[in-house]
Amino acid sequence: MNTDGGPGPEGRDQFEDREEAEAPGAEEILTEIESVNLSPSEHQRVKDLVNGEEMNRIKGYDRRYLVAGAGGETGAATRRKTVCDLLDERTDPPSVAFRLEDFGLTPEDIRLWHRVFDICCGRATHIVAVLEDFDGGYVWELGLLFAPSYRDRVWVLKRRYPDEETERERYDNGMAASHVKLLLTGDRCHEWIDADELRDAVNEVP
């Protein structure tokens, strides 16, 4: 599963090229994002993406929800889109919801995904992670959500499976475990089993 359809195992970059058990800390993650050497054209591409029509669309709203989770053509991506739509429909206060891919990122922009994700996190008032497993490149980004500057904005909607064996299989990832240990505890994590429960879980996000 890739956050917002971002780079997965087939497109591993310097952020993911580490042993799964070696989870970077928040400061390391932010440093790595800043240290990526983008070409002038890549810098311009980032500027165009985050200063274009989509960013203009979300400005002026009291609540801005960045919805992270599975991308592509999957059932998980469809459920994440449902969450995005439900949050986008809120009117009290006026709210807008968006996903990273709404900014027009393509697979060819693989080196830019993390930079744009970081910028979008900074623009969001709430970051909602819809989790169904720990499989794919998105796991790295969970570390960014754990960073002190973003942690207080994060809400997690975690799918719970009916048996312990499946639960372990879907969430068995040493790198992710260290990142999300706190994200998956407390009153900001809400579990769901089916689509109806997911809709109810969305209601728990302020």
Side-chain angles (χ1 to χ4, degrees):
M1 182 175 91
N2 303 330
T3 298
D4 305 316
E10 69 283 357
R12 297 179 67 88
D13 58 17
Q14 63 176 300
F15 298 109
E16 298 166 310
D17 189 17
R18 64 177 87 241
E19 293 296 325
E20 287 187 343
E22 296 179 2
E27 183 175 348
E28 180 184 353
I29 288 168
L30 295 175
T31 298
E32 288 190 7
I33 288 176
E34 295 171 355
S35 67
V36 175
N37 294 318
L38 299 181
S39 68
S41 62
E42 288 174 328
H43 276 292
Q44 187 60 50
R45 174 74 169 143
V46 170
K47 290 175 63 177
D48 292 343
L49 288 170
V50 300
N51 291 291
E53 182 177 341
E54 181 62 20
M55 191 60 75
N56 289 333
R57 182 182 76 88
I58 72 176
K59 290 179 179 178
Y61 284 89
D62 293 335
R63 295 203 176 170
R64 300 177 297 279
Y65 298 96
L66 170 60
V67 183
E73 301 295 329
T74 65
T78 299
R79 287 183 285 273
R80 171 173 159 253
K81 181 63 165 60
T82 297
V83 170
C84 192
D85 291 343
L86 290 171
L87 294 171
D88 195 62
E89 292 170 358
R90 293 182 172 184
T91 57
D92 186 20
S95 304
V96 64
F98 58 101
R99 302 166 301 158
L100 196 60
E101 62 264 42
D102 294 338
F103 288 82
L105 284 163
T106 69
E108 288 70 33
D109 296 315
I110 186 171
R111 281 166 44 82
L112 312 183
W113 280 87
H114 295 90
R115 182 69 62 83
V116 176
F117 183 68
D118 181 35
I119 293 171
C120 287
C121 284
R123 301 290 175 87
T125 60
H126 296 68
I127 305 166
V128 182
V130 185
L131 306 183
E132 299 200 25
D133 55 44
F134 287 161
D135 179 24
Y138 97 102
V139 169
W140 185 92
E141 293 167 352
L142 291 175
L144 180 60
L145 300 187
F146 183 69
S149 55
Y150 299 137
R151 193 182 311 161
D152 291 342
R153 307 183 203 175
V154 176
W155 295 78
V156 177
L157 306 181
K158 173 183 173 290
R159 183 175 181 178
R160 177 166 54 87
Y161 293 91
D163 61 272
E164 292 185 5
E165 182 177 355
T166 303
E167 185 85 3
R168 284 194 301 270
E169 289 176 353
R170 296 302 176 94
Y171 296 109
D172 183 16
N173 184 305
M175 179 177 173
S178 64
H179 284 332
V180 302
K181 185 175 182 180
L182 292 181
L183 290 178
L184 299 186
T185 60
D187 59 2
R188 295 195 175 206
C189 178
H190 300 278
E191 294 189 329
W192 54 278
I193 294 178
D194 54 30
D196 289 337
E197 288 194 4
L198 177 58
R199 288 174 175 272
D200 291 339
V202 173
N203 293 330
E204 300 297 331
V205 179

